[in-house]
Amino acid sequence: MSNKYETFIGLEIHIHLEANTKMFCGCKAQYGDEPNTNICPVCMGYPGVLPMVNEKAMELGYKVARALNCKLSKNTFFERKNYFYPDMPKNYQISQFEEPVGVDGWMDFDTPEGTKKIRIHDVHLEEDAGKMIHAGDMSLCDYNRAGYPLLEIVTEPDIKTPEDTELFLRNFQRMVRYMGVSDGNMDEGSMKCDANISINLVGKGLGTKVELKNMNSPRFVRKGLSYEEERQADMLDQGKALTQETRLWNENRDQTEVMRTKEEAEDYRYFPEPDLPIFRPDQTFFDLVESGLVELPLTRKHRMMEEYKLSADQAEYIHDDLYLADYFEEAVKLGGDSVQLFAWLSSDVKKLLNRENLSLQDSPLTASWLTELLELISSEAISGKIAKKVLDFVFSDKKSPKTIVEEKGMSQVSDPAVLTAAVDKVMAANPDVVEAIKGGDNKQRGFLMGQLMKETGGKAAPVPLQKILAEKLG
Amino acid sequence: MDTKELYHTASLARLELDEKEAEKLSREVSQMLEYFNHMLELDVSNLEPTTHALMKNNRLRRDVVAEQTVDPDEMLENAPDLEDRFVLIPNVL
Ligand SMILES: [Zn+2]
């Protein structure tokens, strides 16, 4: 986009909270069950029922708000957001408006240009709607998801580019995964992200806001925003006015399409939910929130760079997945060299995992076994080349590297007596080659080394072997 | 309340009004709003709004799956129409 314009992007992120039950009733919060099995009079909006807040969801909501550096509410409450749509049998959604669990926070994330800060407007709890399938002239409703505990995180329009938006979302996903509050999977619908974007001449402030929906991965959020940025710039270049509207990303056509134009502002007529008392957290609750805080991904990444001398890219790779990050640190504690560990984890181990279609978690290679393998190399018990074979056997035989090396006799031979005997034998068998080398034809040395490796079954330690050979050749 | 505002309010509540009803209601609603205006004259700037008069204590529920007291199948019998276990309604997309 031409640098005449400035872009402002804000996000509304929804995450399904890791809870056993729904937000306001004891129904199972679970995917994939038969339609309309996890329902009860509360989530089906029957008259006279009494919703009650799930304490786990409340705790997770505060934890996220705390991790996002928000001011935490001392008296949070719920409101009814009124709208008519059959995905919600009550004709309102219980949400938060006046006094959400947290407001005025911020989150840092890394970009190639350095760390950037995004302000968080608020973090609030609410319930998800049911799932609808539209087919022909009928619509099908499944209310298993109606009432599912949701947390919505609203950012200020602080993000400047679609690329940064994707990076921010990946950072955010990692954060909720590290915290164990949500699995953050966008393609499975446990995390959703709507974006709003406006562009304007540099220095003129926010432009006309367009909302974007229907993007089910951080990559699609970026693509949708890029498309929209270009479209809006073209409109402005042609002197056309932009319309405040909601658009849908169409991933098959790689474009955004109008969903609805906002002629009048939506009027949800929020009012306090009379059935749910105000929640005033006490010190014990705040202590619980504090005690559940974990080292967040970005902090961990920066610490790993510092502590293990990893580059930004290396630390980015290792910290991306919580299990990998823990595994790496465990291996370092066991004595593994951090750079070697990174090298193996990001290449040979990764290749094997892909080939076997396994996650590191499910593979037989524990952190201590990987460390053991690296020790075998550094102590010259095996060569790096043999180590790759050993790794293969660890996966197929599910035995430790040491056991495999012993059982299969794969250790290097560095005993001088054995090596000298081999050198003598090979030299005796190839007198003309020996003569040629002695006459100055150094190219033939490679041939002798090859013969020696054959003789020792590839197990001769190359360094002492070369030394002995050099001595013999004079 | 002017008629335009009344029609807007009615449409938010999904109520249909004919002209006669609108005329009658417009008068009645205006009267109600006047009562509220009296209340609005009071200075409450230092008071916390009383959203919940009788519920003073926190009330949370443990995150444990509750036994189903009403059979979901029974609830589905109240649906206008079903297909498999889905509630079937006219297309609303
Ligand atoms: Zn329920």
Side-chain angles (χ1 to χ4, degrees):
Chain A
M1 197 182 62
S2 82
N3 45 18
K4 218 160 84 182
Y5 301 113
E6 205 174 347
T7 301
F8 303 89
I9 297 165
L11 303 174
E12 287 176 14
I13 306 169
H14 287 94
I15 50 172
H16 273 171
L17 294 171
E18 283 285 342
N20 299 319
T21 64
K22 292 187 178 180
M23 190 67 215
F24 303 111
C25 61
C27 286
K28 237 190 276 173
Q30 194 169 292
Y31 287 127
D33 286 352
E34 284 266 292
N36 293 313
T37 44
N38 302 324
I39 55 172
C40 75
V42 176
C43 52
M44 289 299 275
Y46 277 43
V49 295
L50 194 61
M52 271 176 89
V53 176
N54 181 337
E55 82 181 350
K56 179 82 184 292
M58 185 62 92
E59 181 193 319
L60 297 180
Y62 269 89
K63 274 185 183 161
V64 172
R66 173 69 182 81
L68 292 171
N69 308 293
C70 288
K71 283 185 206 134
L72 303 182
S73 173
K74 292 198 173 72
N75 55 326
T76 193
F77 61 88
F78 291 88
E79 268 117 339
R80 291 186 183 178
K81 178 180 180 179
N82 297 280
Y83 72 91
F84 288 92
Y85 197 66
D87 62 356
M88 213 52 167
K90 296 197 291 287
N91 286 338
Y92 59 82
Q93 175 195 36
I94 305 179
S95 182
Q96 297 197 291
F97 187 64
E98 285 283 340
E99 193 62 46
V101 293
V103 294
D104 293 341
W106 49 267
M107 180 175 175
D108 280 342
F109 70 104
D110 267 2
T111 73
E113 303 92 52
T115 305
K116 292 182 184 172
K117 193 186 286 294
I118 300 303
R119 289 172 300 153
I120 304 294
H121 180 274
D122 77 86
V123 174
H124 64 262
L125 286 163
E126 59 187 26
E127 55 180 336
D128 204 351
K131 195 177 152 187
M132 300 193 58
I133 301 166
H134 307 287
D137 53 356
M138 300 309 270
S139 292
L140 302 156
C141 318
D142 170 15
Y143 296 107
N144 281 348
R145 208 182 60 192
Y148 214 106
L150 266 192
L151 192 69
E152 179 169 347
I153 294 93
V154 183
T155 78
E156 298 288 355
D158 287 351
I159 313 175
K160 294 294 175 197
T161 67
E163 291 72 26
D164 278 2
T165 312
E166 181 179 3
L167 290 173
F168 173 79
L169 277 174
R170 294 196 187 284
N171 273 261
F172 184 86
Q173 277 179 316
R174 257 193 306 260
M175 185 192 81
V176 297
R177 286 172 186 157
Y178 266 51
M179 293 177 72
V181 298
S182 174
D183 67 25
N185 286 335
M186 284 183 78
D187 49 350
E188 288 163 18
S190 43
M191 174 166 150
K192 267 185 219 156
C193 176
D194 296 338
N196 56 74
I197 172 169
S198 74
I199 71 168
N200 210 343
L201 291 170
V202 175
K204 294 278 185 193
L206 299 172
T208 306
K209 188 161 91 174
V210 167
E211 281 177 60
L212 269 189
K213 290 176 184 288
N214 201 36
M215 303 153 298
N216 60 7
S217 77
R219 193 168 65 91
F220 286 138
V221 173
R222 168 175 54 79
K223 290 179 82 173
L225 287 168
S226 294
Y227 178 88
E228 200 47 33
E229 205 179 34
E230 287 295 331
R231 187 188 69 86
Q232 294 184 16
D234 283 350
M235 297 269 290
L236 292 184
D237 282 344
Q238 294 166 40
K240 289 182 187 158
L242 291 163
T243 322
Q244 186 171 335
E245 59 193 6
T246 301
R247 301 176 70 91
L248 292 180
W249 169 248
N250 184 330
E251 81 176 62
N252 298 318
R253 292 199 192 141
D254 266 5
Q255 65 184 33
T256 68
E257 293 158 2
V258 185
M259 178 185 165
R260 59 171 177 251
T261 312
K262 284 193 177 161
E263 279 152 8
E264 51 187 316
E266 270 155 347
D267 189 347
Y268 292 122
R269 291 151 295 139
Y270 283 95
F271 66 85
E273 165 60 78
D275 291 337
L276 294 168
I278 296 175
F279 178 68
R280 303 177 203 276
D282 55 12
Q283 197 51 49
T284 318
F285 183 86
F286 281 125
D287 289 346
L288 180 72
V289 170
E290 277 317 296
S291 70
L293 291 178
V294 296
E295 183 184 33
L296 294 178
L298 194 66
T299 317
R300 187 169 200 176
K301 177 184 162 188
H302 292 164
R303 179 175 60 75
M304 286 181 136
M305 289 166 67
E306 179 85 4
E307 216 165 293
Y308 308 125
K309 307 280 172 276
L310 295 179
S311 71
D313 284 348
Q314 291 172 336
E316 181 71 28
Y317 179 81
I318 296 290
H319 99 300
D320 184 46
D321 175 68
L322 179 59
Y323 185 82
L324 179 61
D326 286 345
Y327 183 103
F328 178 86
E329 296 213 88
E330 188 192 336
V332 172
K333 271 203 199 94
L334 291 168
D337 173 73
S338 59
V339 174
Q340 284 302 316
L341 280 168
F342 169 78
W344 280 82
L345 284 168
S346 62
S347 63
D348 293 284
V349 174
K350 190 179 160 199
K351 262 182 244 157
L352 260 178
L353 291 172
N354 286 344
R355 197 186 73 196
E356 304 289 319
N357 198 16
L358 278 175
S359 68
L360 185 57
Q361 227 154 328
D362 301 328
S363 86
L365 186 72
T366 60
S368 79
W369 280 5
L370 179 58
T371 315
E372 193 177 294
L373 184 69
L374 296 192
E375 268 166 22
L376 290 171
I377 304 170
S378 61
S379 66
E380 288 178 5
I382 55 174
S383 66
K385 209 171 162 188
I386 297 285
K388 291 182 192 202
K389 285 186 190 155
V390 175
L391 187 64
D392 259 337
F393 284 121
V394 170
F395 274 71
S396 58
D397 298 4
K398 303 185 174 50
K399 288 179 180 166
S400 82
K402 254 185 199 153
T403 312
I404 285 162
V405 168
E406 274 161 26
E407 280 184 5
K408 306 200 186 281
M410 294 170 88
S411 57
Q412 285 190 131
V413 179
S414 47
D415 179 350
V418 178
L419 293 181
T420 308
V423 170
D424 286 342
K425 191 174 168 199
V426 168
M427 282 174 72
N430 299 283
D432 42 340
V433 178
V434 173
E435 276 316 303
I437 296 171
K438 282 183 175 163
D441 185 3
N442 270 318
K443 273 183 258 167
Q444 303 276 8
R445 275 174 191 265
F447 173 77
L448 278 194
M449 277 302 280
Q451 292 301 306
L452 279 163
M453 280 301 173
K454 215 183 234 173
E455 177 65 29
T456 58
K459 287 183 288 186
V463 177
L465 181 67
Q466 240 153 2
K467 206 174 144 214
I468 291 166
L469 181 64
E471 277 164 10
K472 292 270 177 188
L473 289 170
Chain B
M1 182 182 256
D2 68 36
T3 333
K4 201 182 150 206
E5 212 179 336
L6 184 73
Y7 276 119
H8 174 65
T9 310
S11 82
L12 285 175
R14 297 294 188 273
L15 294 173
E16 218 177 318
L17 300 180
D18 61 32
E19 257 175 64
K20 235 174 110 189
E21 284 169 320
E23 200 194 321
K24 184 167 170 270
L25 272 172
S26 158
R27 248 180 294 126
E28 288 175 7
V29 172
S30 297
Q31 216 166 28
M32 282 186 244
L33 288 175
E34 245 171 77
Y35 299 147
F36 285 112
N37 278 332
H38 281 303
M39 288 195 267
L40 287 174
E41 284 164 17
L42 293 170
D43 178 16
V44 291
S45 52
N46 290 319
L47 297 175
E48 192 188 325
T50 310
T51 49
H52 301 79
L54 296 171
M55 297 188 281
K56 289 289 173 210
N57 296 319
N58 289 343
R59 196 184 65 214
L60 299 177
R61 175 179 57 79
R62 290 191 59 215
D63 182 30
V64 176
V65 176
E67 210 185 306
Q68 290 184 314
T69 50
V70 180
D71 185 353
D73 293 0
E74 230 173 276
M75 275 186 280
L76 288 184
E77 280 170 26
N78 293 326
D81 205 355
L82 293 175
E83 185 166 305
D84 296 325
R85 293 189 56 89
F86 289 99
V87 175
L88 196 63
I89 57 167
N91 192 313
V92 290
L93 186 66

